[in-house]
Amino acid sequence: MSTVPPQTPKSKPPSNSSPQTPQSRTSSQTIESAPRSQDDLKNLLYTELHGHVFESKSLIQTVFPVPTQVEIQVGKAVDDFVSNFLSNKTDGIQELTKKDKPERSYYDPFCSLLNAAASIAPQDSSSPGHISKLKFTTYDKPVADKSDGKGELKPDFVGCVHGASDANQERLYFHDISVAGGVKGNWAEALKQASTYGRSMLELGSRWYSLVIVYNHIQRKIRFCFFTRMGLFLTPALHILDKADLKSFVKGMIGLVICDEARAGFSTFQRSLDEYVLYNLPTSLPRGEWWKVDKILWRRVCILGRATHVYLLILALALIMNMDTLTNEFKKVTVSSGIDVNYTTHMQTRSKAKEATPNSHILHTSIGHLNSPEEHLAHATHPSQSRRSRRLVELDKISNTQTSSSPSTSQVSSDAAVQLPPSLAIELRKSIEALSSPDWTLAVTWTEARGKPIVLKDSWPLRSRASAEMKMFEAVQGQHGIPDILGGFTVPHPTDIFSDLEDVQICDDYYGKQKRPTCDPIVEPRVQNYLIALTEGESLVGAEPYDIGHAAVDGIIGHFNLFLNGHLHRDVSSGNVLRMPKVVQRSRDYIQKMNACFSHPKVQNTGEFIFLLEYMSECLGFINDGDQAIEWRKDRESGRHRSGTLPFMSQRITRGWILDEFILHTAIDDLESFAWLVLWCALYGLENPSNLEALWIERLTADDLHQVLDRKTGIITDLSKESTRLTMPFSKPLVQLLPLASDWLSLSQEAAERLDMFLLTFVANSQYETLEDVIADFVLAKEFYDQLEDLSIDFYTKYLWTGVKFLQSRKEEPTIKSAT
């Protein structure tokens, strides 16, 4: 390579082969996020859905098809209804045709129109309709629950299967509302408002997708709005005084009323039963079992994207039956066969790991994956496969090897299985047994999970990356800072009816006077994945300072093990770095043989990490959730939407987001995120923060990128001065963690500077003008990634050395006892 003066590489939007994904602002809400008002949400959701709003003429008949026999049966009634309405002969709804009246005056007439159209649907017993008793009524009051902590949403009208007649007297919950609706005279504003309802219905209503019906009383037009994890799908605006449009609307209402619950968007694998939220998992033959949500460990509330939720689950009947009795009732692993599936799991024995650690607990679990996302897509769309088979993953076998004397990589308490009083237990058991259970087609009994709570991660990755997370964790099972994963699978669901639409186009009404997307509409198919883990995690927020530091260092070690195995996490946050209820102990031999940070060729004979041997004998924390993870040396299909967790993002990534520039996400950016994680957990756990601390919390949780970046810059400046650190009004937990946070933030500045100089120099010394071009060159990319790996390892060493020295300097012992 020739030597030339360094130049600033030109930036350009990432190409389809770029290993990065464009950032965008979203409504993403976590457990610790600041509450938002409806007005705030409307603006954020507009940005979140920008470029992901699709209009389709075939949408309504695709989602709610009316069978031919039903069309024949109701044909005359539909024609009569349309004729009478257009002739102004339909009682109670003539007011809809009048303009310039107060918005509120249209609520009752529009509900009358909805009910009249729905009543045409056949009511005989042969109709399969789950919501055949759907009734609409004016609501116009706040719902009883909310997903944001502040914004009380108030639909203009609601459609309910049960309780609609009481909607004027009672506040309803979102899981009681089958369809929400609103009336507005401006489409852009109406669709923003509808998105707030759709978002909460997805979050709180056990749904695959949610339906909001909107009426524009100025234009006298109706739209069906379907909110999915792939975006917003809209029908064209249907004019109530146009014969063809009115007929399409009536047929859509008939299709809605006669469809089954899955086609109406309700998940058949999740239920709300009084105060319980239940998940059905394929842990028995053939209909699965219901598991109760005992605790929400993490959630990301949004419409578009992965929408990750993590729960601690206990077997629902364990509330009633003795856990030992339950354990004896289940058989060994059983798998159904003969299923045409999109990818297949197979057991990998990892014989080398077994030979290396014959007395250690190693979980032999794998989820199926094809050799590449492209192969996955090609297989998934093969014309000979049914839609059902494309959404199923067969779990061939789950096996485990454990001796009574070997230390487990996770210890999960069964304290959550609290016995109920006999009368309540009998009532609950009857209710659970009365629930309709889905047919998984296959069944696997996980004997490992018996008698224990399990952790369920529920998320919506791109279909092309459905197996990426499990593949990543599978490669590092048993290593320090990594959760104990039992298995994972794709849930059968009907949302491909949206991704398979062939006539989608941009909806100009959504954007109003704002700039519309310039690119062609592209729907990115997503699937619902369940990932099952045995490692129970607890938030670091509010934990003792020593434990926050300990878990953070463990998280970096886990992150390093992933990195050396070719994966970059890219979303270090308070929801993804957790602590276990009890410390897990490991032997020196186990540590050296099982961890990439000792066995990888890059570090095996260097002795760089020998200082970790004693420290790694006890593991408290782990890094979780690979939603955003990539194979950092490989190009991949680039998603058009990605959201990290803003308070923890590195300054480089945040600045690149603001400037809309291509920024290569590296391990150095993730290491900086650990510094913000420590500071955040200390700040957010304060009961009575000082004014300065409250200001830091407010700015770090802001939706405005400039505020977040400015505050981070200010914090680093403040903490870089020892005199400032000593005089500022900090609370005790923050004071105890400031040395670690300050040292790591100082390292982050050094690392970012060296990274930027490396990138500038490497591009300048190449034949290319941009970093993207360098990465696209296969031969040059290998040299680039090798040097980037060396730079990253250097800073892993510095972060870990600083973290371990900090913990050793603390005289306070951890507040939790070691597991035996």
Side-chain angles (χ1 to χ4, degrees):
M1 296 173 61
S2 60
T3 302
V4 296
Q7 304 173 34
T8 302
K10 298 175 182 178
S11 63
K12 62 182 181 180
S15 64
N16 287 337
S17 64
S18 167
Q20 302 298 300
T21 307
Q23 296 275 9
S24 67
R25 292 181 66 199
T26 78
S27 67
S28 179
Q29 195 90 355
T30 68
I31 293 173
E32 297 144 7
S33 297
R36 297 175 175 133
S37 67
Q38 186 177 23
D39 286 340
D40 292 336
L41 276 178
K42 286 195 290 188
N43 294 327
L44 285 168
L45 285 166
Y46 171 82
T47 307
E48 176 179 318
L49 293 171
H50 196 280
H52 299 270
V53 179
F54 311 102
E55 185 176 303
S56 166
K57 291 181 180 179
S58 64
L59 178 62
I60 195 66
Q61 59 264 37
T62 299
V63 181
F64 299 139
V66 179
T68 302
Q69 64 271 25
V70 175
E71 281 204 68
I72 296 172
Q73 183 179 351
V74 301
K76 184 177 184 305
V78 171
D79 291 339
D80 290 345
F81 177 87
V82 170
S83 176
N84 290 336
F85 183 86
L86 295 177
S87 301
N88 210 25
K89 296 179 181 179
T90 308
D91 293 336
I93 53 181
Q94 295 91 343
E95 294 296 316
L96 285 176
T97 63
K98 298 178 181 179
K99 291 185 177 181
D100 303 325
K101 298 187 66 176
E103 182 182 293
R104 178 66 177 76
S105 65
Y106 294 94
Y107 297 173
D108 288 341
F110 191 65
C111 288
S112 297
L113 175 64
L114 293 168
N115 288 327
S119 68
I120 300 174
Q123 302 296 316
D124 58 82
S125 58
S126 62
S127 173
H130 164 67
I131 53 177
S132 58
K133 296 181 181 179
L134 181 67
K135 297 296 180 185
F136 291 87
T137 186
T138 297
Y139 187 66
D140 196 25
K141 64 169 66 67
V143 293
D145 51 354
K146 51 197 174 188
S147 59
D148 294 297
K150 180 179 180 182
E152 291 190 329
L153 303 183
K154 189 171 67 171
D156 298 335
F157 58 88
V158 295
C160 302
V161 178
H162 306 290
S165 60
D166 299 324
N168 285 320
Q169 289 75 42
E170 296 181 1
R171 294 177 65 177
L172 298 175
Y173 292 87
F174 269 113
H175 69 253
D176 295 323
I177 300 173
S178 299
V179 183
V183 176
K184 279 277 186 245
N186 176 281
W187 278 123
E189 188 62 27
L191 296 174
K192 282 184 184 180
Q193 180 172 292
S195 65
T196 65
Y197 307 147
R199 178 179 183 269
S200 289
M201 291 167 76
L202 280 175
E203 171 65 17
L204 300 168
S206 303
R207 289 171 167 87
W208 284 314
Y209 50 88
S210 56
L211 172 60
V212 180
I213 299 177
V214 176
Y215 180 60
N216 185 321
H217 64 282
I218 302 298
Q219 296 185 8
R220 293 177 290 192
K221 293 181 179 180
I222 302 169
R223 267 199 166 99
F224 291 80
C225 311
F226 296 90
F227 294 89
T228 78
R229 300 304 181 188
M230 297 173 286
L232 168 58
F233 293 81
L234 302 168
T235 62
L238 304 174
H239 202 302
I240 63 172
L241 297 183
D242 179 271
K243 183 176 180 180
D245 282 356
L246 183 59
K247 197 167 185 177
S248 294
F249 159 73
V250 173
K251 282 180 149 183
M253 291 302 300
I254 293 171
L256 167 62
V257 169
I258 66 173
C259 73
D260 60 30
E261 61 178 335
R263 200 55 167 225
F266 291 91
S267 172
T268 53
F269 301 90
Q270 188 180 353
R271 290 283 189 273
S272 296
L273 184 63
D274 296 327
E275 73 271 25
Y276 298 112
V277 176
L278 305 174
Y279 271 86
N280 190 279
L281 299 177
T283 52
S284 71
L285 294 171
R287 308 291 287 181
E289 293 175 297
W290 291 102
W291 292 72
K292 172 188 170 291
V293 173
D294 190 63
K295 185 190 300 183
I296 300 175
L297 302 177
W298 174 254
R299 66 174 189 172
R300 191 184 295 279
V301 185
C302 55
I303 293 175
L304 184 67
R306 298 173 181 86
T308 300
H309 287 62
V310 183
Y311 306 101
L312 180 67
L313 303 184
I314 58 174
L315 198 61
L317 291 180
L319 292 168
I320 305 161
M321 303 169 63
N322 180 275
M323 296 296 287
D324 293 333
T325 304
L326 270 177
T327 304
N328 295 330
E329 290 187 357
F330 296 99
K331 302 177 182 179
K332 294 183 178 180
V333 177
T334 308
V335 181
S336 63
S337 58
I339 305 171
D340 185 17
V341 295
N342 59 344
Y343 54 91
T344 306
T345 65
H346 57 282
M347 185 179 77
Q348 295 183 341
T349 60
R350 292 206 276 273
S351 57
K352 292 183 180 179
K354 288 175 65 178
E355 293 169 3
T357 55
N359 294 321
S360 61
H361 168 75
I362 305 170
L363 187 63
H364 304 297
T365 306
S366 71
I367 190 167
H369 51 271
L370 297 176
N371 294 330
S372 68
E374 292 75 18
E375 185 178 351
H376 180 111
L377 280 175
H379 192 83
T381 56
H382 194 280
S384 65
Q385 292 183 301
S386 67
R387 287 183 178 179
R388 179 175 179 79
S389 69
R390 274 170 26 201
R391 294 190 303 270
L392 286 177
V393 179
E394 180 181 3
L395 297 175
D396 278 346
K397 194 172 291 184
I398 292 178
S399 173
N400 72 88
T401 303
Q402 183 175 9
T403 63
S404 58
S405 60
S406 61
S408 171
T409 57
S410 68
Q411 301 289 337
V412 183
S413 169
S414 60
D415 295 340
V418 179
Q419 302 298 311
L420 294 180
S423 59
L424 290 179
I426 292 173
E427 182 179 349
L428 177 61
R429 177 166 187 153
K430 287 181 179 178
S431 298
I432 293 172
E433 291 175 343
L435 289 174
S436 59
S437 297
D439 185 359
W440 281 98
T441 305
L442 59 122
V444 178
T445 299
W446 285 315
T447 56
E448 179 92 14
R450 295 300 167 216
K452 305 176 182 179
I454 61 175
V455 176
L456 171 69
K457 178 190 172 186
D458 180 355
S459 64
W460 288 80
L462 293 171
R463 187 164 66 192
S464 60
R465 288 174 50 78
S467 62
E469 180 181 25
M470 189 63 205
K471 180 181 178 182
M472 177 188 78
F473 280 126
E474 181 184 66
V476 291
Q477 280 298 286
Q479 298 192 34
H480 195 98
I482 300 296
D484 196 354
I485 304 297
L486 187 59
F489 46 89
T490 296
V491 178
H493 61 85
T495 61
D496 55 2
I497 58 178
F498 298 100
S499 58
D500 289 348
L501 289 168
E502 297 180 351
D503 64 341
V504 295
Q505 59 186 34
I506 293 173
C507 177
D508 290 327
D509 284 339
Y510 179 79
Y511 301 101
K513 297 180 180 180
Q514 303 296 318
K515 184 178 179 181
R516 72 195 293 274
T518 56
C519 59
D520 293 332
I522 300 174
V523 180
E524 297 178 308
R526 292 185 177 272
V527 296
Q528 186 179 26
N529 270 8
Y530 285 174
L531 187 72
I532 312 296
L534 293 177
T535 306
E536 180 183 346
E538 297 177 354
S539 174
L540 300 185
V541 174
E544 291 297 317
Y546 184 96
D547 296 342
I548 293 174
H550 191 174
V553 172
D554 289 339
I556 292 180
I557 296 173
H559 192 282
F560 190 26
N561 283 327
L562 287 171
F563 177 79
L564 292 173
N565 276 278
H567 293 90
L568 182 63
H569 190 275
R570 299 198 309 164
D571 192 18
V572 174
S573 69
S574 60
N576 294 340
V577 179
L578 305 172
R579 60 179 177 138
M580 290 178 277
K582 297 179 180 179
V583 167
V584 173
Q585 295 181 331
R586 295 189 174 98
S587 69
R588 189 184 185 95
D589 183 60
Y590 180 97
I591 294 166
Q592 289 182 295
K593 290 180 179 180
M594 285 299 296
N595 286 276
C597 61
F598 286 103
S599 61
H600 191 274
K602 277 274 187 176
V603 297
Q604 190 172 26
N605 298 316
T606 64
E608 283 185 83
F609 296 98
I610 197 71
F611 69 91
L612 288 176
L613 268 177
E614 182 179 352
Y615 172 81
M616 288 173 62
S617 64
E618 292 188 342
C619 183
L620 173 64
F622 61 94
I623 189 162
N624 196 35
D625 188 357
D627 273 346
Q628 307 262 22
I630 60 169
E631 293 182 74
W632 59 272
R633 282 181 175 268
K634 297 181 180 180
D635 287 350
R636 66 180 180 88
E637 181 185 7
S638 176
R640 297 192 305 129
H641 164 91
R642 184 171 76 83
S643 60
T645 308
L646 188 55
F648 312 99
M649 281 185 186
S650 74
Q651 291 175 286
R652 287 182 68 254
I653 299 299
T654 308
R655 190 177 297 110
W657 193 355
I658 291 173
L659 298 176
D660 196 23
E661 290 182 346
F662 169 74
I663 299 292
L664 182 71
H665 197 133
T666 70
I668 285 173
D669 296 293
D670 279 8
L671 286 170
E672 180 180 331
S673 296
F674 279 98
W676 295 116
L677 168 72
V678 168
L679 192 63
W680 169 273
C681 291
L683 281 170
Y684 210 87
L686 299 176
E687 294 184 3
N688 298 297
S690 67
N691 290 338
L692 176 63
E693 291 165 338
L695 178 63
W696 284 6
I697 294 170
E698 179 186 350
R699 294 293 174 84
L700 288 175
T701 57
D703 293 313
D704 185 273
L705 297 171
H706 295 84
Q707 281 192 31
V708 174
L709 183 58
D710 289 346
R711 180 48 53 191
K712 286 183 176 180
T713 303
I715 289 173
I716 290 174
T717 301
D718 291 340
L719 296 183
S720 65
K721 303 172 184 177
E722 185 176 1
S723 59
T724 306
R725 294 201 306 267
L726 295 175
T727 57
M728 282 187 170
F730 293 132
S731 302
K732 184 177 179 181
L734 186 56
V735 169
Q736 293 176 315
L737 281 169
L738 274 182
L740 178 61
S742 299
D743 288 345
W744 277 358
L745 286 173
S746 178
L747 276 174
S748 75
Q749 301 308 290
E750 177 191 345
E753 183 177 347
R754 282 186 55 186
L755 174 62
D756 287 340
M757 183 56 64
F758 162 69
L759 298 177
L760 287 168
T761 304
F762 197 96
V763 174
N765 291 339
S766 74
Q767 59 184 343
Y768 298 107
E769 293 186 357
T770 70
L771 179 58
E772 291 172 281
D773 293 331
V774 169
I775 293 171
D777 184 315
F778 179 79
V779 176
L780 195 56
K782 183 181 185 306
E783 180 183 350
F784 169 79
Y785 284 128
D786 284 344
Q787 292 185 30
L788 179 61
E789 184 177 45
D790 291 338
L791 179 62
S792 301
I793 291 174
D794 184 25
F795 280 98
Y796 274 114
T797 308
K798 292 181 178 181
Y799 272 80
L800 289 170
W801 172 262
T802 303
V804 171
K805 293 296 287 184
F806 165 78
L807 294 172
Q808 289 175 345
S809 70
R810 288 290 311 275
K811 295 181 180 180
E812 296 86 350
E813 293 296 323
T815 59
I816 56 179
K817 296 181 179 179
S818 173
T820 57

